[in-house]
Amino acid sequence: MKLNIVDEKVFKTLKEEGKELTLQELTDKTGEPCKKVFKSLKKFFEHEIIETKARKYSLTGKDPAAKEDPKPASEE
């Protein structure tokens, strides 16, 4: 998964804090606009890099820089 600058800031902040953070906390700590932070969170959630509980976000432990496993070719 390719990360943009905001993605990198959000991931780094979650990793360094080591706890669940709200959207507002992430916005404050990264200095990025709320919309951009939310877009990064959405991308991370779709790739199972973060999880959310009661509007707080935390890392799942999955590395966003790791390449996704290619789907095995069907055997004929």
Side-chain angles (χ1 to χ4, degrees), residues 10-67:
V10 170
F11 182 78
K12 182 180 176 187
T13 301
L14 283 168
K15 191 171 184 175
E16 287 176 352
E17 292 293 319
K19 63 179 182 176
E20 296 177 334
L21 296 172
T22 64
L23 176 60
Q24 187 60 53
E25 289 170 329
L26 283 165
T27 300
D28 292 343
K29 290 178 186 294
T30 60
E32 295 293 334
C34 184
K35 276 187 170 185
K36 287 187 176 186
V37 172
F38 184 77
K39 196 172 181 181
S40 291
L41 290 172
K42 183 179 175 191
K43 182 194 294 188
F44 287 149
F45 188 76
E46 289 171 352
H47 287 88
E48 300 175 353
I49 293 167
I50 63 166
E51 58 189 7
T52 181
K53 291 180 189 169
R55 296 187 184 194
K56 289 190 175 185
Y57 303 91
S58 62
L59 296 173
T60 61
K62 189 174 178 182
D63 185 0
K67 292 185 179 179

